[in-house]
Amino acid sequence: MKRHSTRGLACEGPDMADLTKEVPSELTKRPKILLLQGPNMNWLGRRQPELYGHTTSSQLDELCQLHAQETGYDLDIFYTNSEGAALDYIYALMEKEALGGLVMNPAGWSVGGGSSMRFCLMSIDRPYIEVHIRNQYKMQNVSTLADLACGVIQGLGVDSYLLALDGMYRLLTSRSVA
């Protein structure tokens, strides 16, 4: 890196010799994001559509995969009603070094339970964004996992997912080049 000044501002940037060097592979890899869907999310579009909307889990998956393709990250989507299965999946991805960041709708795990998930989130060194279709505050729910999150996006319907995925992508790409 070469330090130079532009109109009185000190900037750091590559000198010309740096531009010919090979880019490290960790900077060229696509970010890997896990979208973890908790209890009852597999029933989206059929379970209380007056509250959660008519978008099915398959339709939401398509929207999210399209976002991943257009934005430039790898998206893994996992649905489970079992907290243990969710933990196993997260840890398996960690073992394979295939988890860059976690976007999760913890659903019922975030109210009155989820202590195993809480300990899992505390033990992995990866960013976490919590997402909910509905505004949890309107429902008078306080998430027991939100304090571990980099951010929480809620109340915007299925758009909450796209915003959360976009936020995670930005977190991962700014971390890898900083």
Side-chain angles (χ1 to χ4, degrees):
M1 286 291 195
K2 187 175 190 176
R3 191 166 174 79
H4 59 277
S5 179
T6 307
R7 295 188 185 183
L9 299 174
C11 303
E12 285 194 32
D15 61 20
M16 292 308 285
D18 289 337
L19 295 176
T20 61
K21 292 180 183 174
E22 188 173 324
V23 176
S25 63
E26 64 270 7
L27 296 180
T28 59
K29 289 181 183 174
R30 291 167 53 100
K32 294 180 183 341
I33 299 173
L34 169 61
L35 173 56
L36 180 58
Q37 298 279 48
N40 300 308
M41 297 309 300
N42 59 316
W43 210 244
L44 195 59
R46 297 177 281 182
R47 178 181 164 258
Q48 296 177 288
E50 69 281 1
L51 298 177
Y52 298 100
H54 295 277
T55 303
T56 67
S57 55
S58 296
Q59 291 168 331
L60 178 59
D61 292 354
E62 288 177 29
L63 287 171
C64 292
Q65 289 292 358
L66 181 61
H67 183 272
Q69 182 180 2
E70 291 174 349
T71 306
Y73 60 92
D74 294 332
L75 181 62
D76 186 3
I77 302 174
F78 183 68
Y79 286 81
T80 183
N81 292 310
S82 165
E83 190 174 4
L87 301 179
D88 289 342
Y89 200 79
I90 290 170
Y91 288 132
L93 289 178
M94 290 294 294
E95 287 290 324
K96 294 190 298 188
E97 296 184 16
L99 177 61
L102 172 64
V103 173
M104 177 172 59
N105 185 334
W109 299 328
S110 67
V111 284
S115 59
S116 296
M117 180 58 73
R118 183 172 181 77
F119 290 123
C120 174
L121 293 173
M122 291 168 55
S123 72
I124 62 171
D125 182 24
R126 297 295 186 271
Y128 159 56
I129 294 178
E130 188 167 316
V131 63
H132 296 279
I133 291 173
R134 296 182 61 205
N135 183 335
Q136 298 297 293
Y137 292 105
K138 274 187 169 179
M139 298 165 47
Q140 300 182 349
N141 288 339
V142 177
S143 172
T144 59
L145 302 173
D147 63 303
L148 300 174
C150 298
V152 178
I153 301 176
Q154 60 183 342
L156 302 171
V158 294
D159 286 342
S160 296
Y161 283 89
L162 301 178
L163 293 168
L165 290 167
D166 192 49
M168 182 56 69
Y169 174 78
R170 290 169 183 251
L171 280 172
L172 294 174
T173 55
S174 67
R175 282 177 66 181
S176 65
V177 296

